[in-house]
Amino acid sequence: MPVDQYSDPFEEQLAVALREAGGAFDSPTALAAAGRARGDRMRLRRRTAIAGGAASLALVGVGGALLAPWGGKPAAGPSSVAASGSAKQAAFSADDVVRTLKKLLPEGKFTESEARGTNEDLPPLAVGVFDDGKGEGSVSVGLARIPANGGEITPSTAVMPCPDGEQTGLDSCKTELLSDGSAITVYQGYEYPDRREDTKAWGADLVTPAGHHVSVIEWNAAAEKGKPVTRPEPPLTTGQLKTLAAASEWRRIADAIPGEEKKPVSPSGSSARPAEMAGWLILRKLALLLPKDLDRVRNGSQETGYGYFVVDDGKGASLVQVNVQPNMSDVAGSLYGSGAETLPDGTRVSVKQGPGEKGGAGVVMWTVDTLRKDGLRVVVSAFNAAEQDKAATRAKPALTIEQLRAVALSPRWTATED
């Protein structure tokens, strides 16, 4: 979970992690199975950590017919027009998103449980229970736009990558480029990577060259957690998952997501308030910075600001988490005191080693907290346990202070590319 040992604005901003969906957009349980920030975490954010350690997916190949839905009537059009009055700003309501999902699903009954449209605080989402006559299964579709940041979107690097190695917690995972340049990852995993329950979580994650992000997840139970298994496998096959994620209707809806308001520009021409880093990008950067000899057990993230990996060097599982926040210069005085180091470029560095704070027996937490001159704060922590609130699984964290320092100070955090 995000660091919480400080009672300051940084902590408040990171408290949003407590709302991350019970476990999924970071392909997220299947892929990451664990951000394990419990509670009512938003489902879309959970996608990055989806079932079973797959959050680092790649994409599965889809045939040329992928963009065609199973058939049926065209998806509903936008239900309203945004305040600007521009046709390009047409909004889709939560009902529109649900109707679209119903029309794209195979024959069966769909009962809505949660939905959002394009003009809400969080990205569009449709979640419900689908029954094709063979048992109920939960199905969730989340939509987002990936900002180009002045350059082109590279789907193959923006899509969730399949985990490296054999210990992925997944039965299958494949990433593939489609004929239109989109990348799609399709995976089959489990809600709980240790398989303490038989709940399976399968999904597809798609990113287009234009920045549309579609994440589909399904379970073989009426809910991702807390409901008994109702069928041997989720209702949609991997082929149907690919077709559903690649349907052109989702791109139309994603295009209607309001763009971020233009940031005020400083006299030097740079943005005065840098945007928060997306969780999927934090995961991508962290994956490249971790020592190569560590087995990546699972991973996850929230929508912005936070990502984690559970790694194992053969001596036990160890949680490694990163918090990234811009515009934190105002906390320098309170967080980086006389014991902090100041590097030649002005970066402040604080190192802390102490007990964990989530109640896990014997858990220790090692943290390297850095603040660059431009206000970017990168905090990297490692634990001697897979989860902070569980007992320690090893004597020390898998990463040394020197390795944590190298991760926190890496220029990758300020680079526009991975």
Side-chain angles (χ1 to χ4, degrees):
M1 290 184 184
V3 291
D4 59 358
Q5 67 267 47
Y6 308 112
S7 297
D8 56 38
F10 186 63
E11 176 184 8
E12 295 173 9
Q13 293 179 48
L14 293 171
V16 68
L18 297 177
R19 301 198 307 272
E20 187 184 354
F25 199 167
D26 281 278
S27 192
T29 325
L31 299 190
R36 300 260 165 153
R38 306 253 184 210
D40 53 338
R41 304 181 281 180
M42 305 310 296
R43 294 180 189 278
L44 183 61
R45 298 180 179 176
R46 176 173 164 15
R47 291 206 187 357
T48 332
I50 290 181
S56 40
L57 293 186
L59 284 187
V60 187
V62 178
L66 253 179
L67 297 182
W70 284 273
K73 302 174 183 177
S79 60
S80 60
V81 176
S84 65
S86 169
K88 296 180 68 174
Q89 294 295 318
F92 288 80
S93 68
D95 287 342
D96 291 331
V97 180
V98 171
R99 280 195 294 270
T100 299
L101 176 55
K102 286 182 177 180
K103 291 180 180 297
L104 293 173
L105 286 171
E107 184 176 351
K109 178 182 179 182
F110 180 82
T111 305
E112 173 192 345
S113 59
E114 181 182 358
R116 291 194 297 266
T118 57
N119 278 353
E120 301 188 41
D121 292 339
L122 291 171
L125 176 73
V127 183
V129 177
F130 177 67
D131 190 342
D132 57 1
K134 300 177 182 179
E136 295 181 336
S138 180
V139 177
S140 173
V141 176
L143 308 175
R145 292 300 304 271
I146 298 175
N149 294 324
E152 296 182 354
I153 300 294
T154 305
S156 60
T157 59
V159 76
M160 288 180 289
C162 288
D164 296 327
E166 298 179 357
Q167 302 299 320
T168 65
L170 300 175
D171 289 336
S172 69
C173 182
K174 184 179 179 182
T175 297
E176 186 174 310
L177 290 178
L178 307 183
S179 59
D180 67 352
S182 299
I184 183 169
T185 293
V186 176
Y187 58 90
Q188 293 176 298
Y190 298 82
E191 180 63 27
Y192 300 96
D194 61 5
R195 305 191 188 183
R196 61 183 180 272
E197 294 185 14
D198 295 327
T199 308
K200 295 181 179 180
W202 295 2
D205 193 73
L206 178 137
V207 175
T208 73
H212 308 103
H213 190 180
V214 182
S215 183
V216 180
I217 309 173
E218 59 168 346
W219 293 263
N220 61 332
E224 59 184 293
K225 294 179 185 291
K227 294 287 186 180
V229 167
T230 54
R231 49 191 298 148
E233 297 180 343
L236 305 182
T237 66
T238 54
Q240 289 172 321
L241 282 171
K242 290 186 290 185
T243 302
L244 177 58
S248 59
E249 284 85 348
W250 300 127
R251 306 181 192 197
R252 293 172 51 208
I253 296 175
D255 280 334
I257 298 174
E260 191 175 88
E261 291 185 7
K262 199 168 184 179
K263 301 277 194 302
V265 177
S266 66
S268 64
S270 61
S271 175
R273 299 288 294 180
E276 290 189 323
M277 188 175 294
W280 63 265
L281 182 56
I282 291 175
L283 265 185
R284 182 78 180 177
K285 291 176 182 290
L286 179 56
L288 295 171
L289 292 171
L290 287 173
K292 304 302 182 187
D293 59 345
L294 295 177
D295 177 30
R296 287 86 185 282
V297 178
R298 62 178 183 264
N299 56 51
S301 69
Q302 62 188 43
E303 190 171 313
T304 61
Y306 173 72
Y308 79 89
F309 273 88
V310 174
V311 300
D312 194 331
D313 57 1
K315 301 177 182 178
S318 176
L319 172 65
V320 181
Q321 65 180 23
V322 177
N323 290 274
V324 180
Q325 290 290 330
N327 312 311
M328 297 300 291
S329 297
D330 56 344
V331 304
S334 60
L335 295 182
Y336 307 91
S338 57
E341 176 185 4
T342 301
L343 303 183
D345 65 358
T347 299
R348 305 296 300 275
V349 182
S350 176
V351 177
K352 295 180 176 66
Q353 292 177 269
E357 298 184 349
K358 297 296 184 181
V363 173
V364 297
M365 178 179 185
W366 293 1
T367 298
V368 175
D369 188 340
T370 66
L371 181 68
R372 290 166 168 79
K373 285 193 70 175
D374 64 0
L376 180 68
R377 187 183 185 196
V378 180
V379 184
V380 186
S381 299
F383 304 79
N384 61 335
E387 299 180 46
Q388 297 185 54
D389 58 351
K390 300 293 190 300
T393 53
R394 50 187 296 141
K396 298 177 181 179
L399 272 68
T400 65
I401 291 294
E402 290 72 22
Q403 289 172 320
L404 292 172
R405 180 185 175 99
V407 172
L409 292 174
S410 171
R412 285 191 185 277
W413 300 114
T414 56
T416 56
E417 300 293 335
D418 291 344

